[in-house]
Amino acid sequence: MDFDSLRLLDDWKRRVLRDSDIPYEYAVGSLFTLNPVIEARPQTDSRWTFYIPGTDNVAVFSHCGVFSMADDYYTGNLVPHGETCPDSVMPERMERYASYRCHYSYVFDTVHDKSFFELQQDHICSVKEFNPENRLRRSYQTGQDPNFTKHYWMRTPMFLRINKGDPKPHPPSYLHKWVTAAERRAMVYYANPARPSVMALEEGVIRDIRKCEPDRLVRGDIVVVTFTVSFVLGPATWFPQILLLELVRVGEGPLSEAVDAAAYAVPVVDARLRPALADGEALEGTVGIPILALCRVVLFILCSRRSFRSDFECLPVRLSPILLDLVGRAS
């Protein structure tokens, strides 16, 4: 990563897009002071969430990272039967129906910047009421295993469970037709209306990524993310969960990181040596292959073979019909 990208990354870790958002590093650091700006409280029996102290307002954090890859922004890893799988979705992660395995996923490169791992909330373990059963934490999320620290995954569920007895909410119109169709067939799930928004900052104005150039995030982009943080208690383990609200590109990554130009290189013919054919141009060459050129090709092939002597001795026999035919064409 170049110096300018590192400087931009560091700058946007301290800045926010809305005054009500809280820089993630600052918020985590405040937990170890006498005046923390956030506090973890139980939201449900199996979920603790960060709130603004003394209020019922969920804390919204802001942080910045280096973008790596993502599923389709609007359909996630959901690919109904009969539909073509987007290039961005790995076949092994593809889901056909609404379930808890359907997500909008975004991945950040943490080779150079591991702050997403370093800022994980070990503080929650000091809260006495949290995790009384002493469940273990998911090991691959701890940031201690180097096999899992090159990328940081953020997944927002595409579908949520319906509480028993509650009516299914009507899906908002902006959700993709694949999502709404899958929801109609689901009995216990409804579509999550909080699909992460993908945008870009251009000349001080936040715009929908679809109206920008490029109209998608590419590897190496510097991206500000806004999100909430919860801690989920599963049957056997617990884990932190970052739920994305928005992703905003604030800087484009270097070309070498965004696109491997060499992978798309094609041969280039020097027009000074071989001009392109033009309409109305007189024929320059002759019909057929010049005899001298043919002989040079044949001699090169024979010299490269081990059985050169035997091939050369029988050359007149093998080539005489071909040469006679070419002489006739050339004349």
Side-chain angles (χ1 to χ4, degrees):
M1 183 183 298
D2 59 35
F3 177 76
D4 289 339
S5 296
L6 286 171
R7 185 172 57 182
L8 186 65
L9 189 68
D10 185 63
D11 182 40
W12 276 102
K13 286 179 182 178
R14 297 190 297 269
R15 298 174 61 183
V16 292
L17 296 167
R18 286 202 185 281
D19 290 339
S20 57
D21 297 345
I22 308 172
Y24 195 33
E25 285 186 346
Y26 170 69
V28 172
S30 77
L31 289 170
F32 303 94
T33 69
L34 297 177
N35 298 297
V37 297
I38 54 173
E39 63 180 3
R41 299 203 304 262
Q43 182 178 345
T44 65
D45 292 340
S46 60
R47 176 183 293 270
W48 285 58
T49 297
F50 274 128
Y51 290 86
I52 304 298
T55 74
D56 292 327
N57 300 328
V58 175
V60 176
F61 301 100
S62 176
H63 198 57
C64 193
V66 181
F67 178 79
S68 178
M69 56 185 175
D71 288 340
D72 186 274
Y73 303 161
Y74 312 105
T75 59
N77 63 331
L78 174 68
V79 184
H81 282 290
E83 301 291 350
T84 302
C85 181
D87 293 338
S88 58
V89 178
M90 293 179 286
E92 62 269 22
R93 295 189 56 251
M94 184 171 57
E95 296 294 330
R96 297 295 192 182
Y97 306 99
S99 75
Y100 69 91
R101 293 188 295 269
C102 295
H103 296 91
Y104 302 104
S105 299
Y106 294 85
V107 186
F108 286 82
D109 186 332
T110 50
V111 172
H112 301 289
D113 175 40
K114 298 188 183 299
S115 58
F116 280 117
F117 286 106
E118 295 166 352
L119 293 171
Q120 289 188 107
Q121 304 305 320
D122 295 330
H123 167 79
I124 191 67
C125 298
S126 65
V127 179
K128 294 182 180 179
E129 296 82 2
F130 177 76
N131 192 23
E133 292 82 6
N134 291 319
R135 299 175 179 88
L136 296 177
R137 182 177 178 177
R138 287 183 178 176
S139 58
Y140 68 87
Q141 289 187 325
T142 62
Q144 303 302 314
D145 188 338
N147 293 319
F148 299 102
T149 56
K150 293 182 179 179
H151 295 95
Y152 193 90
W153 287 71
M154 297 184 185
R155 295 186 176 98
T156 296
M158 185 180 297
F159 300 100
L160 304 173
R161 293 276 300 197
I162 301 173
N163 291 326
K164 188 175 181 180
D166 288 350
K168 180 187 287 190
H170 187 72
S173 59
Y174 55 78
L175 293 181
H176 195 278
K177 62 181 181 180
W178 289 3
V179 178
T180 55
E183 188 219 39
R184 284 195 297 269
R185 293 190 294 268
M187 299 296 294
V188 297
Y189 291 100
Y190 70 97
N192 181 4
R195 182 187 68 196
S197 300
V198 184
M199 294 170 282
L201 183 64
E202 293 190 342
E203 298 180 355
V205 178
I206 298 173
R207 301 189 183 280
D208 190 310
I209 194 75
R210 290 170 289 191
K211 300 178 181 178
C212 303
E213 180 60 38
D215 59 357
R216 61 185 180 88
L217 302 176
V218 297
R219 185 164 61 91
D221 280 351
I222 306 301
V223 176
V224 170
V225 289
T226 58
F227 53 92
T228 62
V229 176
S230 294
F231 306 93
V232 180
L233 295 161
T237 60
W238 70 271
F239 56 93
Q241 185 181 51
I242 287 181
L243 293 179
L244 287 170
L245 301 177
E246 297 128 352
L247 301 95
V248 182
R249 180 176 63 213
V250 295
E252 295 184 14
L255 180 62
S256 59
E257 295 188 23
V259 178
D260 181 6
Y264 298 91
V266 297
V268 177
V269 177
D270 191 336
R272 295 170 299 178
L273 301 177
R274 197 279 180 188
L277 294 175
D279 179 43
E281 181 179 352
L283 185 62
E284 181 179 294
T286 59
V287 179
I289 304 175
I291 300 302
L292 182 58
L294 174 63
C295 291
R296 288 175 179 170
V297 172
V298 172
L299 186 60
F300 173 80
I301 295 173
L302 292 177
C303 289
S304 65
R305 297 182 55 169
R306 294 180 181 178
S307 56
F308 168 72
R309 182 177 297 276
S310 60
D311 286 333
F312 185 77
E313 289 174 352
C314 60
L315 178 61
V317 177
R318 292 187 180 182
L319 291 182
S320 56
I322 302 175
L323 293 174
L324 289 173
D325 180 63
L326 288 173
V327 169
R329 293 187 186 183
S331 59

